[in-house]
Amino acid sequence: MPEREAIFQKAMNDGHSAAWDQEWGKAAASYRQALQEFPDHPKALNSLGLALYQLGSFEEALQTYMQVAKLSPDEPVPMEKVAQIAERLGDLKIAVEAAIRAGDLFLKQRDAEKALENWARVTNISPENVVAHSRLAQVHEKLGHIQPAVTEYLAVASILQRAGNAEKTREMVDKALSLVPSSIEAKQADSLLKAGQLLPKPLRRKGGTGPLRMAQVKELEKPKSVGSGLDPVAEARQKALTQLAELLFEFSDDNPSAQEKKGLSAIMRGTGGLSLQQSEQAKVVMRLGLAIDAQTKGNEAQAAEEFEGALEAGFNHASLYYILGFLRFKGNRHESAQRFLQNAVKHHDYALGTRLLLGQALSGKLRFGEAALEYLEALKLADCSTVSADRADDLSQQYEPLVEAHENQQDEVALRKVCENIRSLLMRPDWRDQLHKMREQLPRQEGDVPIPLAAVILEAQSSSVLEAMNHINQLARTGNLRSAMDEAYYAMQHAPTYLPLHMLMGDLLAQENHTTDAIMKYSIVAHAYGVRGEATQAIKILRRIIQLAPMDLGARNRLIDQLIARGQVNDAIREYLELAAIYYRLADLDMARKTYTTALRVVQQGNASHDWNAHILQRMADIDLQRLDWKQALRVYEQLRTIVPDDNATRRQLVELNLRMAQTDKAISELESYITHLESQNKGDVALLFIEDLIAEHEDHPLLKRAYAIQLHHTGRTDEAISLLDTLGESLMQRGDKYSALEVINQIVMMNPPNVEEYRRLLFQMQNN
């Protein structure tokens, strides 16, 4: 057992360390390892739930928190997490049930505010939920929140009236009137009842439409028949709508991350500006909500207009471009569809669906040569998804000579056949099963390299280039690099645009230590892949360039562009941080800060973990301090305080910066705010140490010593507090600062020591001299 506990604890520590670094994949793996030792450990399950949530694995996160809630039925937090994640997934039934249960559990723990918060969440999702409104009414009344209680009792009355319970309806209205006899809304309800009219329905709070839109999107996911799925185009449409619905969570009025974003706007506005200002954000959210509503109701023309409205308001994302391309294609506006789809083709979530739509659009224009190339690229993406990740690159390269050979195909009948064959293979709900079945029937190649399905569909004979590549690799492995390069030049005469061959030549140059030539070759290949919309290959090559030349800033910037285009936002942010670190090492602080600011904007606009915010802001603040830009540093630290209120270093910097800028009142206000925060968490000792550290840096500052004395008094060390204040008062008198000395003596009187009368007499004498 001790051995299992040691393994468990190490795995948990590794998970916490990875989580601190925002490496949520590693964190989740460590927590899973811990759970292998103790499968029902609530803390490990809670930690895994958080990691999965940060990774965007909401379904699994929901199941994990449901397991925690089952193991700890009296704990409200896991149930609250279930409610929040179910909202995110659009499962409103689970969200409502869990939020009501969470509210009940919080109330049992005497945390009325959290209880109210959870029941209010229910009424936002389901405005006519009588249970939630009843709970809100009763607790608001007990807490003395009279006006909210009146509103909730009237909401209950309206719901009960529509359920046909006239007696209870009358009782609820009378209850509201008894609380506030002068209430206009209660009087109005009374008049309506007497006139036999219906009371107004309870209203949903402004904002927070994310759960409802997500529920609408979830309805579209339901298969039309048992056992059926979605074809790649419909799958991508579903993913795009889901991502857009998630944005309504990000910008919801009551979402903490939305509040955080509003705060970040204040910092970023002065350093390049946001692509979306607050008014534009409101317009985007409204347009997206209307568009999703129209889409789920089958009104696709209106949906397209609303989505275009969001684009015009300044919002651009691959999900928006894809759904617009999809809708315009369905509306037979193929030119417009192609324009939108070209902006989505690099993103890994939409590449396959986009290629298929482009193929269909081009076929409709009888441009079968271009259409066949799009269909072949679609088949490549689909085929690579049927093999393991470590073999996908090899398979992708097998497609290149086939695609290249087909570029010169002039036979329209053959081109049309290619389009029809691939379309019939992929545009079906069971396309994955179909591809797996085809792959199982293929013979295996030497070295277990998978054969591309396109070879079967095209019946192409492009094996000569592949054979040449194998021969070049054999020569390179035996150290015959010059002969390998000669073979590569010879092969290139037959396949001048075959990019894997050029890539292999770059590898040979790198092995011969011709680094500059290798980087030049890699750069050309990466650019070509980027132009073709193959972001995965471009990323792979750009990483190789950076490995050879870490200070190549151009390559790193291109890598970031490709990562963002592909939707790998967290990876892009890591590259931004590395780029900023390079600028920092080069002592270019302006470019370093600008890079951090750009990274912060990407966090805000993309689907990245919001934990990056504190990480980036801390580095921005460090640069501001080094540049002695105290005013800007202060603004950054104020945002950090909001994001990480428990961070001791941030709080200290806020106090010290205000002191340096002679803003004493603000410094003391910051200090008092942090001390109050610590005391609310029963951390009085931490507060004392915090003030001690400040006094060590600012020995002559009387207000800090007074704050320290107050804290000593609060922790029961009144004698020490009075001794400190006595010394401080004498020091102030010697300086001739009579006013401050009077304040110190008055503070001693307020502490009521045994000899308080002596201090009162002293105070009287000083005031009358």
Side-chain angles (χ1 to χ4, degrees):
M1 184 63 75
E3 184 180 347
R4 288 182 64 195
E5 287 177 356
I7 295 170
F8 171 83
Q9 198 55 55
K10 183 181 183 305
M12 288 295 289
N13 290 340
D14 289 346
H16 296 336
S17 178
W20 179 259
D21 294 330
Q22 287 90 43
E23 295 180 343
W24 295 107
K26 289 182 181 178
S30 295
Y31 295 138
R32 289 188 204 279
Q33 186 181 350
L35 286 165
Q36 287 177 3
E37 303 301 322
F38 298 104
D40 293 332
H41 197 286
K43 187 175 180 181
L45 285 166
N46 264 314
S47 299
L48 177 60
L50 174 61
L52 291 169
Y53 182 87
Q54 294 292 345
L55 288 167
S57 303
F58 299 128
E59 292 279 3
E60 194 177 353
L62 178 63
Q63 295 305 316
T64 303
Y65 279 119
M66 288 178 82
Q67 188 178 348
V68 181
K70 189 175 180 181
L71 291 168
S72 309
D74 296 325
E75 285 296 318
V77 173
M79 193 58 72
E80 182 181 45
K81 294 290 186 185
V82 169
Q84 291 169 351
I85 298 172
E87 267 190 26
R88 186 106 191 185
L89 291 169
D91 197 330
L92 303 189
K93 184 174 183 295
I94 290 178
V96 166
E97 291 172 356
I100 289 176
R101 177 65 180 153
D104 293 346
L105 292 172
F106 274 121
L107 192 63
K108 265 190 175 181
Q109 293 188 353
R110 301 185 183 278
D111 192 342
E113 289 303 318
K114 289 294 289 182
L116 291 171
E117 181 186 317
N118 277 274
W119 294 328
R121 176 179 288 114
V122 174
T123 62
N124 199 38
I125 301 171
S126 176
E128 297 181 34
N129 188 290
V130 70
V131 174
H133 282 295
S134 298
R135 301 263 205 290
L136 285 167
Q138 292 165 14
V139 175
H140 275 310
E141 183 185 359
K142 286 180 181 176
L143 292 174
H145 305 161
I146 302 303
Q147 189 52 52
V150 168
T151 301
E152 295 301 337
Y153 276 123
L154 293 177
V156 174
S158 173
I159 298 165
L160 292 173
Q161 184 189 37
R162 283 168 170 76
N165 193 334
E167 184 180 343
K168 275 287 184 183
T169 302
R170 179 73 262 175
E171 184 183 327
M172 292 298 103
V173 172
D174 288 343
K175 181 70 174 175
L177 279 168
S178 70
L179 289 174
V180 186
S182 61
S183 169
I184 295 172
E185 55 181 334
K187 286 180 178 179
Q188 183 183 20
D190 183 49
S191 299
L192 288 171
L193 270 189
K194 288 175 180 176
Q197 296 180 23
L198 287 175
L199 301 179
K201 283 186 177 182
L203 297 176
R204 179 177 288 110
R205 287 179 297 141
K206 185 181 177 183
T209 58
L212 305 177
R213 299 304 179 217
M214 191 62 79
Q216 289 177 314
V217 171
K218 196 176 180 70
E219 282 298 310
L220 289 174
E221 287 181 349
K222 293 182 179 178
K224 294 178 181 177
S225 59
V226 177
S228 69
L230 297 171
D231 62 61
V233 169
E235 275 186 14
R237 189 260 333 242
Q238 195 63 36
K239 190 163 289 187
L241 284 173
T242 301
Q243 281 206 349
L244 292 169
E246 284 178 353
L247 282 168
L248 299 178
F249 283 94
E250 298 301 326
F251 293 105
S252 166
D253 291 342
D254 55 355
N255 186 356
S257 65
Q259 301 300 327
E260 179 182 309
K261 287 186 176 188
K262 290 173 186 175
L264 293 175
S265 300
I267 294 174
M268 298 172 66
R269 199 169 289 122
T271 50
L274 295 170
S275 64
L276 290 180
Q277 296 298 326
Q278 193 168 350
S279 61
E280 292 169 331
Q281 286 179 6
K283 191 183 294 184
V284 167
V285 169
M286 181 191 73
R287 291 286 200 173
L288 290 180
L290 292 171
I292 292 170
D293 188 50
Q295 171 77 29
T296 53
K297 290 175 180 175
N299 192 343
E300 294 185 334
Q302 184 191 342
E305 293 302 319
E306 298 295 349
F307 280 129
E308 283 204 23
L311 187 65
E312 289 167 6
F315 176 68
N316 57 75
H317 189 272
S319 56
L320 180 59
Y321 285 119
Y322 179 81
I323 198 68
L324 274 168
F326 172 85
L327 291 172
R328 290 310 186 200
F329 174 81
K330 289 194 73 178
N332 292 317
R333 291 173 57 178
H334 290 181
E335 289 291 341
S336 178
Q338 282 180 255
R339 189 172 66 254
F340 290 127
L341 290 170
Q342 289 298 341
N343 287 290
V345 74
K346 290 184 181 180
H347 198 287
H348 61 93
D349 286 339
Y350 310 113
L352 176 54
T354 296
R355 295 288 189 188
L356 287 168
L357 283 175
L358 286 171
Q360 291 181 57
L362 290 164
S363 294
K365 296 177 183 179
L366 306 181
R367 290 158 58 179
F368 293 110
E370 296 170 69
L373 293 176
E374 292 294 345
Y375 275 119
L376 283 169
E377 291 292 344
L379 180 59
K380 178 172 72 173
L381 291 166
D383 198 2
C384 288
S385 73
T386 66
V387 300
S388 59
D390 58 325
R391 298 169 69 198
D393 274 350
D394 291 335
L395 179 57
S396 178
Q397 289 193 11
Q398 297 274 320
Y399 268 84
E400 303 238 1
L402 301 175
V403 173
E404 184 182 354
H406 224 72
E407 283 181 340
N408 301 318
Q409 175 65 264
Q410 300 296 323
D411 186 345
E412 186 175 301
V413 174
L415 290 168
R416 189 190 293 242
K417 188 68 175 173
V418 168
C419 295
E420 290 172 357
N421 285 347
I422 297 177
R423 188 178 189 283
S424 63
L425 176 63
L426 296 181
M427 288 300 292
R428 51 194 294 168
D430 62 342
W431 63 276
R432 286 188 180 86
D433 291 339
Q434 197 66 19
L435 291 181
H436 281 295
K437 287 175 185 175
M438 285 187 67
R439 181 153 293 290
E440 286 170 4
Q441 296 169 8
L442 293 176
R444 298 216 173 260
Q445 291 191 131
E446 185 181 348
D448 203 31
V449 177
I451 297 174
L453 293 177
V456 178
I457 292 174
L458 300 176
E459 297 180 356
Q461 300 297 322
S462 302
S463 59
S464 58
V465 178
L466 297 177
E467 289 172 5
M469 292 276 288
N470 287 331
H471 184 48
I472 293 164
N473 278 317
Q474 287 173 7
L475 289 169
R477 281 195 293 270
T478 57
N480 296 306
L481 299 178
R482 178 53 55 192
S483 298
M485 185 63 82
D486 290 341
E487 284 290 326
Y489 275 116
Y490 178 75
M492 195 170 66
Q493 295 176 22
H494 302 284
T497 60
Y498 184 42
L499 294 181
L501 180 57
H502 287 275
M503 186 68 194
L504 181 54
M505 293 172 75
D507 292 342
L508 293 173
L509 288 167
Q511 289 178 56
E512 290 184 295
N513 294 320
H514 297 157
T515 306
T516 304
D517 293 337
I519 289 173
M520 188 177 296
K521 175 64 78 173
Y522 287 147
S523 297
I524 294 168
V525 177
H527 177 72
Y529 274 122
V531 169
R532 283 165 46 167
E534 297 184 51
T536 304
Q537 290 297 331
I539 288 167
K540 178 181 174 183
I541 298 162
L542 288 166
R543 287 196 188 282
R544 193 170 300 186
I545 294 173
I546 291 168
Q547 191 175 12
L548 286 174
M551 302 298 283
D552 190 330
L553 304 183
R556 200 176 290 275
N557 275 307
R558 291 197 301 278
L559 173 60
I560 289 168
D561 291 341
Q562 291 293 335
L563 288 168
I564 291 174
R566 188 164 162 71
Q568 296 173 230
V569 183
N570 285 309
D571 290 335
I573 292 162
R574 289 189 186 92
E575 293 299 332
Y576 269 125
L577 297 186
E578 184 57 38
L579 181 59
I582 290 171
Y583 283 125
Y584 186 86
R585 289 194 291 271
L586 294 171
D588 190 345
L589 297 184
D590 287 342
M591 281 303 298
R593 195 185 193 284
K594 185 177 179 182
T595 305
Y596 282 130
T597 302
T598 306
L600 197 60
R601 186 159 56 245
V602 172
V603 173
Q604 182 186 30
Q605 294 172 355
N607 296 322
S609 165
H610 293 300
D611 291 337
W612 286 113
N613 287 321
H615 189 73
I616 296 168
L617 284 169
Q618 185 62 62
R619 279 156 177 73
M620 290 169 66
D622 289 343
I623 291 173
D624 290 334
L625 288 176
Q626 288 184 53
R627 298 191 305 183
L628 302 181
D629 189 348
W630 293 346
K631 191 174 180 180
Q632 181 65 31
L634 190 63
R635 283 199 291 268
V636 177
Y637 278 120
E638 283 171 350
Q639 294 306 314
L640 274 168
R641 177 194 58 206
T642 304
I643 298 169
V644 280
D646 294 314
D647 186 62
N648 201 64
T650 296
R651 296 288 196 157
R652 178 170 174 170
Q653 286 288 5
L654 280 167
V655 176
E656 291 200 339
L657 280 169
N658 277 302
L659 288 174
R660 287 180 202 170
M661 297 167 68
Q663 298 176 168
T664 306
D665 289 344
K666 284 191 69 177
I668 296 305
S669 176
E670 288 287 353
L671 177 59
E672 289 173 349
S673 172
Y674 186 39
I675 290 170
T676 302
H677 176 73
L678 290 172
E679 286 179 336
S680 71
Q681 299 179 327
N682 298 316
K683 294 181 179 177
D685 292 341
V686 176
L688 280 172
L689 291 172
F690 182 77
I691 305 172
E692 283 175 7
D693 288 342
L694 285 171
I695 292 172
E697 289 292 325
H698 306 274
E699 291 183 10
D700 296 330
H701 209 291
L703 288 175
L704 292 178
K705 291 182 179 179
R706 285 177 58 186
Y708 186 57
I710 291 171
Q711 193 58 29
L712 286 170
H713 175 61
H714 286 169
T715 56
R717 296 161 63 181
T718 304
D719 290 344
E720 292 177 58
I722 291 170
S723 175
L724 174 64
L725 290 174
D726 269 333
T727 305
L728 177 59
E730 289 174 9
S731 172
L732 291 168
M733 285 297 292
Q734 288 172 8
R735 289 190 214 168
D737 190 350
K738 181 180 174 181
Y739 179 78
S740 296
L742 280 169
E743 288 188 328
V744 169
I745 295 167
N746 192 51
Q747 193 168 322
I748 294 174
V749 170
M750 291 172 65
M751 292 180 181
N752 198 27
N755 58 340
V756 67
E757 289 304 325
E758 293 178 20
Y759 286 104
R760 282 183 178 142
R761 284 195 295 272
L762 177 59
L763 191 61
F764 180 78
Q765 290 170 6
M766 290 177 66
Q767 287 171 340
N768 290 281
N769 283 340

